[in-house]
């Protein structure tokens, strides 16, 4: 998929 | 989750623990900027709006709760605890919040990944986190005499974002996942703001001397 969503970091 | 991300999270966690240790056991918050702590409370409150709707893993949820709980309790201690608040360097900690909050909010409204409430708030939290250390750095500069725990706190806090950058590079090459350029820029700014502090931190460590920032 790529991209930064959903945000899985803190 | 890779080793760099885990190391970054642990560094972040330790920075909070060091600060809580100082406040809880020594009952002192000398050298700690309440302005920076309040900014972090805002950062976590606006970033983790998705805490109950966007489930990633138990690890993520627990860490979010820890960062939210610790940041608000540190602010509470510094403002209201009858012993701790006496050690707060109020007259030295004069950085004004809104000088940082307002531009970050405007920037988040203008430059974001998606114009939705949650995304704008998430972007705002990134912008604010990048500069939230500034009141603390100003206070360190003024206080001059920095105790060990305060020095370690700022060091760990700076190291955490540097490790996250390594994590993003690692993820870029090993996973399909890449973080948005906004995140990159904010992470870089945040780390670079600490670069000067890192330099003096390592100097004092190398020479086995007390950490002091130049006037």
């Amino acid at each position: 998929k790529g991209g930064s969503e959903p945000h899985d970091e803190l | 989750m890779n080793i760099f991300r885990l190391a970054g999270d642990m560094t972040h966690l330790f920075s909070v623990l060091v600060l809580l240790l100082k406040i809880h056991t020594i009952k002192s918050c000398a050298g700690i900027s309440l302005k920076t702590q309040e900014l972090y409370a805002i950062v976590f409150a606006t970033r983790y709006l998705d805490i109950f709707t966007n489930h990633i893993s138990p690890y993520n949820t627990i860490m979010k709760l820890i960062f939210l709980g610790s940041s608000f309790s540190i602010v509470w201690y510094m403002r209201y605890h009858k012993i701790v608040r006496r050690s707060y360097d109020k007259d030295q900690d004069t950085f004004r919040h809104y000088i940082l909050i307002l531009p970050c909010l405007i920037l988040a409204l203008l430059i974001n990944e998606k114009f939705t409430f949650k995304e704008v708030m998430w972007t705002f939290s990134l912008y604010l986190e990048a500069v939230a250390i500034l009141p603390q750095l100003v206070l360190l500069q003024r206080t001059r005499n920095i105790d060990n725990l305060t020095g370690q706190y700022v060091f760990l806090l700076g190291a955490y974002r540097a490790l996250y950058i390594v994590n993003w590079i690692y993820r870029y090459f090993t996973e399909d996942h890449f973080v948005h350029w906004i995140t990159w820029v904010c992470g870089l700014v945040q780390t670079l703001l600490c670069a000067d502090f890192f330099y003096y931190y390592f100097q004092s460590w190398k020479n086995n001397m007390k950490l002091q920032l130049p006037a």
Side-chain angles (χ1 to χ4, degrees):
Chain A
K1 58 176 182 68
S4 69
E5 268 197 286
H7 308 301
D8 64 354
E9 292 180 342
L10 301 162
Chain B
M1 169 109 80
N2 59 65
I3 187 73
F4 304 110
R5 155 83 194 278
L6 184 65
D9 284 349
M10 290 305 114
T11 319
H12 197 182
L13 187 63
F14 280 132
S15 75
V16 174
L17 289 180
V18 164
L19 189 49
L20 279 172
L21 180 82
K22 179 178 158 91
I23 289 175
H24 211 90
T25 60
I26 311 172
K27 295 274 183 286
S28 162
C29 62
I32 301 296
S33 165
L34 177 60
K35 304 297 170 79
T36 285
Q37 296 308 317
E38 287 177 341
L39 291 176
Y40 280 128
I42 298 172
V43 164
F44 293 130
T46 50
R47 182 171 307 167
Y48 299 156
L49 286 172
D50 64 352
I51 184 164
F52 296 116
T53 53
N54 177 23
H55 185 76
I56 302 289
S57 67
Y59 171 84
N60 260 46
T61 307
I62 291 167
M63 292 295 270
K64 284 176 178 176
L65 287 171
I66 291 175
F67 288 133
L68 276 169
S70 58
S71 62
F72 277 93
S73 61
I74 289 166
V75 169
W76 182 86
Y77 264 110
M78 292 184 72
R79 290 179 81 115
Y80 305 115
H81 190 280
K82 63 182 195 307
I83 301 169
V84 174
R85 70 173 189 191
R86 273 187 236 147
S87 55
Y88 169 49
D89 305 311
K90 195 174 188 240
D91 302 328
Q92 310 253 45
D93 190 24
T94 52
F95 206 103
R96 287 188 209 82
H97 299 81
Y98 66 84
I99 290 179
L100 298 176
I101 297 174
L102 217 58
C104 289
L105 195 59
I106 293 167
L107 204 60
L109 287 166
L110 295 175
I111 307 170
N112 50 60
E113 223 173 311
K114 215 167 39 175
F115 197 71
T116 61
F117 178 69
K118 252 164 57 178
E119 275 303 303
V120 170
M121 285 295 107
W122 181 82
T123 315
F124 166 69
S125 82
L126 279 181
Y127 294 148
L128 193 60
E129 188 189 358
V131 292
I133 195 73
L134 283 174
Q136 180 65 63
L137 292 175
V138 169
L139 184 61
L140 286 186
Q141 193 83 43
R142 286 187 182 156
T143 321
R144 305 276 280 119
N145 214 355
I146 304 157
D147 67 68
N148 275 333
L149 287 180
T150 307
Q152 266 140 27
Y153 167 68
V154 177
F155 172 74
L156 289 167
L157 203 56
Y160 130 74
R161 221 41 178 177
L163 283 162
Y164 253 73
I165 293 176
V166 183
N167 151 58
W168 295 331
I169 296 169
Y170 184 84
R171 290 190 81 174
Y172 181 81
F173 286 110
T174 56
E175 295 171 40
D176 199 18
H177 188 280
F178 54 90
V179 293
H180 199 267
W181 66 264
I182 293 174
T183 315
W184 278 101
V185 173
C186 290
L188 278 172
V189 169
Q190 191 172 342
T191 307
L192 286 176
L193 284 180
C194 293
D196 193 53
F197 174 84
F198 285 156
Y199 174 78
Y200 293 106
Y201 184 87
F202 283 120
Q203 286 286 316
S204 78
W205 183 66
K206 200 178 77 185
N207 303 325
N208 214 356
M209 273 171 30
K210 201 166 161 47
L211 175 62
Q212 259 198 335
L213 301 181

